[in-house]
Amino acid sequence: MESEAPSRAANVLLLAAVALVGLNLRPFITGIGPLATDIGAETGLDLKGISLLTLVPMALMGLFAFAGPFLQSRVGARRSTLASLAVLVLGSALRLFAAKGWQMVGTAALLGLGVAVIQAVFPGIVKKQFPRHVGVVMGLYSATLMGGGALGAQAAPLVAAATGNWHVGLAWMAVPAVLALALAALYLPRDGVSVQKRTSAIAFLKRPRVWLLMVCFGLVNGGYSTVVAWLAPFYREHGWSAAASGSLLAILAVCQALAALVLPVLAKGKDDLRPWLWLTLVMQAAGFAALAFRPEAAPLASAMMLGAGLGGCFALSMIVALDHLPDPAEAGALSALMQGGGFLITALPPWIVAALHEATGSFVAGWLLHLASAIVVAVLYWRVSPTSYARAMNTPTAGAEIGPARG
């Protein structure tokens, strides 16, 4: 019993570290939308320029996620996470001094780099430390990630209004990053001497299933990147204040967090997660349709529906990727590659929607684009049956490199 108590306490503290790390991965993005008008007025960034503050970090999340297998095998997941949290502290603090457009884009790149590395290695930590509770812990991680989005959207305009300075509204995010760094340094498990066996990214990329997971993840999270970039400006065009539009975005993010936490728990024990994924896609479609056709009819309900769909789909997609392979290192590498290709896709929609707005004078075309994306993903997920996991991840040319999946 004495040995169980310290183990239980250590797991609780490790879960706290997981939650606090997740909390820091989105505020720097969601805080931009409510302050977009103020940022553009001082820095000279137009809508396309503002979209870069989402596009650039999302693109880096994609590019550097491909380094996940290398980082896990050569650097170690713990060391990679700690270095990346230090980068988040620096990037947030530098926003206090960023007065020009290129400086803001530079801080976005720095922050995106830090988040990219964490997202690439963290699922592997979860799979290794909580092998019997992957779904629940990934739900916690996803929920706090989305909750961090709510925190950024709500707090950024409030802090900016209280201080009279939008720079402070963004730079305060260095504080929770410092706390996450301290907790992670204390409680994340140390990397072994021989860290994790190397997994060939090239071998993974020969599998059509990996590309399918990338496309689905990218299209869904493209909806997220567009929403965090343009939902607040969309309602500001309808006469809402910065605080009110930020509150709507925060409510959406809270619903994302709740769905990311609750849906994996409800789906626990289910081998086939596709019905749950389809439920989240229906919610997304309903939310985007409401924004396109009746934005003022029930904005709160639309935001809640859209948030629940996006958050639940994110968490379930991560679990599906990890379920494809039993080995933590290999499952983490697959998750990293899914995020890599996915975030490269995710980076583009905010800029595309900005261009559509410039051409049409409205965000409606952008919302319809994401309505169509939800339908496409629903069709693609038909192929992701749990009975296909082992077959999809084993081929004659690479079967020796990648172990058998759980059937």
Side-chain angles (χ1 to χ4, degrees), residues 165-192:
N165 190 327
W166 65 264
H167 296 276
V168 181
L170 298 177
W172 71 270
M173 297 171 193
V175 176
V178 168
L179 296 176
L181 177 58
L183 197 61
L186 289 172
Y187 299 113
L188 282 189
R190 296 191 177 277
D191 300 312

Side-chain angles (χ1 to χ4, degrees), residues 370-386:
H370 289 298
L371 171 59
S373 295
I375 295 170
V376 169
V377 173
V379 174
L380 291 177
Y381 266 133
W382 183 265
R383 297 179 57 84
V384 188
S385 164

Side-chain angles (χ1 to χ4, degrees), residues 177-221:
V178 168
L179 296 176
L181 177 58
L183 197 61
L186 289 172
Y187 299 113
L188 282 189
R190 296 191 177 277
D191 300 312
V193 176
S194 173
V195 183
Q196 293 166 336
K197 66 179 180 180
R198 258 182 112 174
T199 307
S200 170
I202 294 176
F204 274 129
L205 293 174
K206 291 178 180 178
R207 291 159 170 73
R209 174 59 53 84
V210 178
W211 292 92
L212 186 148
L213 293 174
M214 285 180 182
V215 169
C216 290
F217 189 83
L219 290 177
V220 168
N221 285 282

Side-chain angles (χ1 to χ4, degrees), residues 44-324:
L45 291 173
D46 59 9
L47 281 182
K48 287 183 180 178
I50 293 290
S51 74
L52 293 177
L53 302 181
T54 301
L55 187 155
V56 169
M58 288 291 183
L60 287 172
M61 289 180 202
L63 289 171
F64 281 87
F66 289 106
F70 172 83
L71 291 170
Q72 290 185 79
S73 63
R74 294 297 182 88
V75 180
R78 181 179 187 273
R79 286 188 289 270
S80 298
T81 299
L82 295 180
S84 299
L85 287 169
V87 169
L88 292 186
V89 174
L90 176 62
S92 295
L94 286 176
R95 287 191 156 175
L96 192 61
F97 311 102
K100 298 183 182 300
W102 68 267
Q103 293 171 338
M104 279 298 295
V105 174
T107 61
L110 193 61
L111 290 160
L113 173 61
V115 170
V117 172
I118 293 172
Q119 291 183 160
V121 301
F122 220 65
I125 293 177
V126 170
K127 177 104 175 176
K128 181 178 180 181
Q129 298 301 315
F130 302 97
R132 291 182 296 177
H133 305 286
V134 172
V136 175
V137 179
M138 282 306 299
L140 172 67
Y141 167 72
S142 301
T144 55
L145 185 150
M146 303 299 176
L151 179 65
Q154 185 68 73
L158 293 177
V159 173
T163 60
N165 190 327
W166 65 264
H167 296 276
V168 181
L170 298 177
W172 71 270
M173 297 171 193
V175 176
V178 168
L179 296 176
L181 177 58
L183 197 61
L186 289 172
Y187 299 113
L188 282 189
R190 296 191 177 277
D191 300 312
V193 176
S194 173
V195 183
Q196 293 166 336
K197 66 179 180 180
R198 258 182 112 174
T199 307
S200 170
I202 294 176
F204 274 129
L205 293 174
K206 291 178 180 178
R207 291 159 170 73
R209 174 59 53 84
V210 178
W211 292 92
L212 186 148
L213 293 174
M214 285 180 182
V215 169
C216 290
F217 189 83
L219 290 177
V220 168
N221 285 282
Y224 171 77
S225 63
T226 290
V227 165
V228 298
W230 299 128
L231 183 67
F234 174 62
Y235 276 101
R236 292 201 73 174
E237 287 187 350
H238 284 74
W240 291 39
S241 67
S245 61
S247 294
L248 187 65
L249 187 56
I251 289 168
L252 179 142
V254 167
C255 290
Q256 284 181 295
L258 290 174
L261 183 63
V262 171
L263 288 184
V265 174
L266 294 177
K268 185 179 180 182
K270 306 290 193 304
D271 289 331
D272 192 350
L273 295 180
R274 290 177 299 169
W276 298 92
L277 285 164
W278 287 326
L279 172 64
T280 65
L281 291 163
V282 167
M283 289 190 284
Q284 289 175 49
F288 282 121
L291 290 178
F293 300 116
R294 298 292 299 277
E296 291 287 4
L300 183 60
S302 300
M304 293 172 69
M305 182 77 70
L306 189 55
L310 290 168
C313 198
F314 179 91
L316 294 169
S317 297
M318 297 288 286
I319 295 167
V320 165
L322 291 174
D323 279 352
H324 269 73

Side-chain angles (χ1 to χ4, degrees), residues 20-46:
L20 195 52
V21 169
L23 193 71
N24 280 274
L25 303 185
R26 289 297 181 271
F28 75 96
I29 292 178
T30 58
I32 295 295
L35 300 177
T37 301
D38 299 324
I39 294 170
E42 181 172 337
T43 64
L45 291 173
D46 59 9

